[in-house]
Every structure is written in C-alpha cells, then in structure tokens.
C-alpha cells in the first residue's frame, strides 16, 4: 500500500479512484447556481495545500454533461476578463479537462480539451482549449509564450452554447454548467471511460490575478507564474471518468 501511494504521488495523482458521472436522464439538474437539485450526488473534494477548497460533481443525460463546483476557499469570485485567451491568468475560474481513453498518455492527443468557465462581467463565459485538433480553423490557432518556451494550441475559442452560472454563497461560491456534448465533439455512452480532471483557479486578494491552481487528480499542475505551463494540457496526470 505504501508503495502504491508513493507511485501515485510521484505521478502527480493522489485521487486515484475513477470519477463516476451519474445518469440524470430522468431529472437533469438545472444550471442556475442552486445545487439543491444535486442532492444525492457524490461530490469529490479538491485540496489546495492541506485544506479542502472545493467539492465537484458531474452528471449527464442523453445530450449534455452537467458540472457542479462548490468552492469553499476564501478567494474572491472575480476575474478581470480582459483577454479571452488568457482568462486563466486573470483571477477566479473553474476547469474541466477531458480526453479519449489512452493507456499511457504522455503528450496531448487529438480530442484532449480544456473547458475553462470564467466569472466575467456582464456574464460568465466558457472558453474551449484544444492543443491538438485537426479540424481547427487557422484563425483559432494560439501561441502561449514565455521567455523560455512556446506552447501552441490548434484552437482556443469561446463556446456560447455552454450555459454557465456563478453564484456567491455564505461560504464562498458555486459554479454550475450545462455543456452540450456537441460543443465538446463527444458522444459518450453508458459504461464508457474517458480521461479527465476537474480544477479550480483561485484569485488573489485584489481579484485581479490567478494566485493558485488546484485539481482533483493532477496534484502537480500548480504553476501560476509561466503562461505556457499554465496553458498546456497534461493528460498524464489526469484520472478516469466513467459514465454511469
């Protein structure tokens, strides 16, 4: 057991159990920022440092993926929202990473994606990042640069078809979203396994910059001081998502 724990820590994955995406065909949740209709859902805990910072859960019906984040960290619910391609640098946000099943992924593959949900004003936005995407349009291509390296994405674009709501609570805030499968280019079925992760980005006290990154599976993806590293997809650290 101690050897297994050590291997998981070295791989950057402490949460080892697959995340089950519950079947909600009969009564899908409404993406309105009120999580009472998620009663009975199994929420997973995201740890920042040594403290619980959020709980997350996923559900699905025939055409949509549903996301629920309950953030209990004291960081402000604010994102500057000045640069659509770099919202992950500008304060609070939440993450979904998803990709096809692959035994030993070492680099991003076709279909790997990051969906960033951002509490911009006057309304939240959803940004979809695809590092490898043969179907991408030339105008969607983006390079993320630093003095030491560059990471290229085939596509970075806003996804208006995603419904996303942020709502303040007495202990923090929640984010709830409805994501059509067609927006992600996937057609999952019951029992299907994919790779993925769920994460949160915390804002600094002024609410102008991202001060901390924390994920359910990938415990090593914490950098907030290098744009290419913050942008790139790291499927080797993702876990398993299973559709009930």
């Amino acid at each position: 057991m101690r050897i297994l724990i050590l291997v998981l820590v070295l791989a950057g994955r402490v949460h080892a159990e697959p995340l089950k995406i519950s079947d909600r065909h009969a009564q899908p949740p409404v993406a309105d920022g009120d999580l009472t209709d998620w009663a009975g859902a199994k929420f997973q805990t995201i740890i920042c440092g040594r403290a619980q910072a959020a709980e997350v859960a996923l559900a699905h019906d025939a055409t949509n993926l549903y996301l629920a984040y309950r953030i209990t960290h004291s960081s402000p619910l604010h994102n500057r929202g000045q640069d659509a391609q770099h919202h992950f640098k500008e304060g609070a946000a939440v993450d979904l990473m998803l990709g096809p099943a692959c035994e030993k992924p070492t680099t991003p593959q076709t279909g790997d994606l990051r969906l960033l949900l951002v509490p911009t004003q006057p309304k939240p936005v959803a940004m979809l990042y695809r590092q490898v995407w043969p179907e991408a349009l030339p105008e969607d291509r983006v390079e993320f640069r630093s003095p030491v390296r560059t990471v290229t994405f085939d596509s970075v674009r806003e996804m208006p078809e995603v419904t996303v709501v942020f709502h303040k609570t007495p202990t923090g805030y929640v984010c709830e979203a409805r994501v059509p499968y067609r927006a992600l280019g996937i057609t999952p079925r019951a029992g299907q396994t994919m790779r993925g992760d769920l994460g949160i980005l915390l804002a600094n006290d002024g609410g102008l910059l991202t001060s901390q990154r924390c994920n359910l599976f990938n415990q090593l993806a914490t950098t907030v001081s290098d744009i290419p590293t913050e942008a790139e997809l790291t499927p080797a650290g993702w876990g398993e998502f299973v559709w009930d």
Side-chain angles (χ1 to χ4, degrees):
M1 174 62 83
R2 294 179 64 183
I3 294 176
L4 174 60
I5 293 174
L6 177 61
V7 170
L8 291 171
V9 170
L10 291 175
R13 286 174 51 191
V14 175
H15 184 98
E17 295 182 0
L19 186 149
K20 292 186 177 181
I21 304 175
S22 59
D23 183 345
R24 296 290 297 270
H25 281 66
Q27 192 173 5
V30 178
D32 58 3
D34 181 352
L35 301 187
T36 56
D37 52 2
W38 286 78
K42 184 176 181 180
F43 279 78
Q44 305 288 341
T45 300
I46 292 179
I47 302 295
C48 283
R50 296 183 179 181
Q52 176 176 322
E55 294 178 315
V56 293
L58 296 178
H60 74 95
D61 61 16
T63 57
N64 302 289
L65 181 64
Y66 298 91
L67 291 70
Y69 302 74
R70 184 186 293 119
I71 289 81
T72 54
H73 194 276
S74 59
S75 124
L77 175 59
H78 183 74
N79 188 290
R80 280 187 296 156
Q82 294 181 353
D83 184 342
Q85 296 172 355
H86 293 80
H87 285 330
F88 58 84
K89 290 290 297 180
E90 299 182 322
V94 301
D95 264 328
L96 165 71
M97 279 70 72
L98 194 63
C102 181
E103 184 176 353
K104 293 182 179 180
T106 56
T107 59
Q109 309 294 315
T110 297
D112 288 348
L113 62 86
R114 176 189 192 181
L115 185 69
L116 185 72
L117 307 178
V118 192
T120 51
Q121 296 296 329
K123 65 178 182 178
V125 298
M127 298 297 300
L128 184 63
Y129 298 74
R130 293 188 184 275
Q131 205 160 337
V132 182
W133 191 240
E135 301 176 24
L137 300 175
E139 57 266 31
D140 291 336
R141 185 179 176 90
V142 176
E143 291 185 344
F144 295 99
R145 298 177 176 270
S146 75
V148 295
R149 68 187 186 119
T150 298
V151 172
T152 301
F153 276 69
D154 287 345
S155 178
V156 178
R157 55 188 297 264
E158 185 176 342
M159 304 300 287
E161 55 267 60
V162 174
T163 302
V164 54
V165 175
F166 284 85
H167 178 67
K168 288 185 178 181
T169 69
T171 57
Y173 55 93
V174 301
C175 174
E176 192 172 12
R178 177 179 61 82
V179 185
Y181 289 146
R182 67 178 184 276
L184 303 180
I186 62 174
T187 53
R189 62 187 183 280
Q192 182 171 343
T193 298
M194 298 183 73
R195 292 174 296 111
D197 207 348
L198 292 163
I200 58 172
L201 282 68
L202 304 175
N204 65 356
D205 289 342
L208 299 178
L209 295 172
T210 302
S211 62
Q212 200 168 1
R213 298 168 60 203
C214 307
N215 299 297
L216 179 63
F217 287 103
N218 191 349
Q219 306 296 309
L220 298 182
T222 59
T223 299
V224 292
S225 58
D226 181 71
I227 288 176
T229 303
E230 294 170 75
E232 69 183 343
L233 304 182
T234 55
W238 297 353
E240 287 187 337
F241 286 3
V242 181
W243 267 256
D244 274 358

